[in-house]
Amino acid sequence: MSHTDRPAPGRQWTLLALIVLIGLNLRPFLTGPGPLLSLIEADTGMGFRGLAMLTLLPMLLMGVGAFFAPGIQAAVGTRRALLAALLVLALGSLLRLVVPGGVTLVMTAALCGAGVAVIQAAVPGIIKAHFAGSVSGVTGLYSAMLMAGGALGARLSPLLAGQNGDWRAGLAWLAVPAAVALVAAFSALANSAATAPDRLLAVRLLRRPRTWTLMVAFGLVNGGYSSMVAWLAPYYQARGWNPAESGSLVAVMAVSQAMSAIAMPLIAGRGIDRRPWLLLTLAMQATGFLGLAFVPNAAPMFWVAICGAGLGGGFALAMVTALDHLARPEQAGALAALMQGGGFVIAATAPLATALLQGWSGSFATGWIMHLAWVAVTVALYMRFDPAGYARVMGVPATSGAIASIPAAVGELRASAPPAGS
């Protein structure tokens, strides 16, 4: 589908519902183990470093896989790639029902991460292609569903584990909504033409310094998310909270993320410069990490909620900002995929770094302080994102490239804009 084509309104609603359903399934496999880590550790003997692999390895694969995802789409088409990835995600969760120990549990996490890598790389391009007049709103909704899915995973896994603490069942049941998404995608995408991205597009984008800046900024922000997912529940369990209570904290974080992921792109969409709102999300993250590090018992729900709001809003705005840079859906989608690829590689290191700091200091508080430093670095990176310079930094004509995508992202449809060069 070209960037000037638009699906029928009824089909748009079907695709929007599919995007919501897919988004809900991309985080439960990460957040579900958090409230059950004490049970997993007691049953498998995994230490903090081993438990960190449940987040580190899938996020690493989500990152590395995103570099290959455009090529996979080019080879088999977006529809087949998405269906295969959803199947892998469902199988990864289902296999947790029969894992004998820690190593195989980590392997299921890797399987889920590989599936999510392809899905996350494909969805932004679909949004850009089918919802060109409302990129900010739909991206915000998609991001919110990611966070909401994380909340569901954290809240449901202890309940599904039951009174006997069957953590395998608690994690395996999360395969059911993934299977539902697979069936829905098979139906909704049945008659859609497969897209075939330029096989050399990623190579050309990787030659742009801006692509790497986007990667680093995205990675530093999402490192905060991966550490929170991995260690927030154990942090408060060490302070006397039980698994269900600590799972509620993770759910509060994820709900705050979801609300902010919807709200921030809509607010930021009133103008073409996202930087003031990006900086606001960093300020919220800094507030949360400060509270968690130095006064965790004073107002835990507030620290978690404000940090979650910053992380969720930051994720959504980062996606919108990447899509702003280029007008053509396949180019913007590929840039967003590469941003996620490099970003998730960086984010994958955060849980392990936090675990190492905990081993050195005896407290996860040092990890929250580390993320304060990461926030400070991201402030400097975000200051570079002046929309007036997008065409220059991406190497496209200003009249037909990046700048043309900005009004579309805030709701002004320019169906007559000529294609952008790479």
Side-chain angles (χ1 to χ4, degrees), residues 290-351:
L290 276 169
L292 289 171
F294 297 107
V295 283
N297 294 327
M301 289 291 182
F302 175 75
W303 304 135
V304 169
I306 192 70
C307 194
L311 291 168
F315 179 94
L317 286 178
M319 296 291 292
V320 172
T321 301
L323 294 175
D324 282 347
H325 276 71
L326 292 163
R328 293 179 62 181
E330 66 274 19
Q331 294 178 346
L335 180 61
L338 292 174
M339 178 188 73
Q340 292 178 86
F344 280 123
V345 170
I346 296 170
T349 67

Side-chain angles (χ1 to χ4, degrees), residues 78-88 181-187 189:
T78 298
R79 178 178 181 268
R80 290 180 180 178
L82 273 175
L83 292 176
L86 285 167
L87 178 61
V88 168
L182 173 61
V183 172
F186 185 85
S187 175
L189 300 177

Side-chain angles (χ1 to χ4, degrees), residues 61-82 85 114-126 194-206 211 215 326 329-342:
L61 287 173
M62 285 160 62
V64 174
F67 288 99
F68 297 96
I72 294 173
Q73 292 180 68
V76 303
T78 298
R79 178 178 181 268
R80 290 180 180 178
L82 273 175
V116 169
V118 175
I119 298 168
Q120 289 188 153
V123 171
I126 292 174
T195 59
D198 183 350
R199 292 174 184 270
L200 298 179
L201 177 58
V203 175
R204 292 198 296 272
L205 290 174
L206 286 172
T211 302
M215 287 181 191
L326 292 163
E330 66 274 19
Q331 294 178 346
L335 180 61
L338 292 174
M339 178 188 73
Q340 292 178 86

Side-chain angles (χ1 to χ4, degrees), residues 81-330:
L82 273 175
L83 292 176
L86 285 167
L87 178 61
V88 168
L89 175 59
L91 285 175
S93 292
L94 183 62
L95 288 173
R96 291 178 163 184
L97 185 63
V98 295
V99 291
V103 173
T104 48
L105 178 61
V106 171
M107 291 174 63
T108 64
L111 197 61
C112 291
V116 169
V118 175
I119 298 168
Q120 289 188 153
V123 171
I126 292 174
I127 293 173
K128 184 84 171 182
H130 295 285
F131 302 93
S134 52
V135 170
S136 291
V138 177
T139 300
L141 178 63
Y142 165 67
S143 301
M145 293 304 101
L146 291 176
M147 313 310 170
L152 288 173
R155 196 71 185 99
L156 288 177
S157 63
L159 299 176
L160 294 171
Q163 295 295 326
N164 61 348
D166 186 354
W167 59 266
R168 289 177 176 84
L171 298 178
W173 273 106
L174 299 176
V176 173
V180 172
L182 173 61
V183 172
F186 185 85
S187 175
L189 300 177
N191 298 318
S192 65
T195 59
D198 183 350
R199 292 174 184 270
L200 298 179
L201 177 58
V203 175
R204 292 198 296 272
L205 290 174
L206 286 172
R207 293 172 180 168
R208 307 296 181 192
R210 175 53 54 85
T211 302
W212 296 91
T213 304
L214 287 164
M215 287 181 191
V216 174
F218 188 81
L220 293 178
V221 168
N222 281 275
Y225 172 77
S226 59
S227 285
M228 291 276 280
V229 166
W231 302 125
L232 180 62
Y235 182 50
Y236 277 96
Q237 286 176 18
R239 296 175 176 275
W241 295 47
N242 63 42
E245 291 170 338
S246 61
S248 295
L249 266 185
V250 179
V252 167
M253 177 194 74
V255 169
S256 300
Q257 287 178 302
M259 295 173 63
S260 182
I262 290 178
M264 291 302 297
L266 293 176
I267 296 171
R270 297 173 182 174
I272 63 174
D273 193 343
R274 319 290 184 188
R275 287 176 295 178
W277 308 107
L278 287 166
L279 295 176
L280 176 60
T281 65
L282 294 180
M284 290 190 285
Q285 292 171 46
T287 300
F289 286 129
L290 276 169
L292 289 171
F294 297 107
V295 283
N297 294 327
M301 289 291 182
F302 175 75
W303 304 135
V304 169
I306 192 70
C307 194
L311 291 168
F315 179 94
L317 286 178
M319 296 291 292
V320 172
T321 301
L323 294 175
D324 282 347
H325 276 71
L326 292 163
R328 293 179 62 181
E330 66 274 19

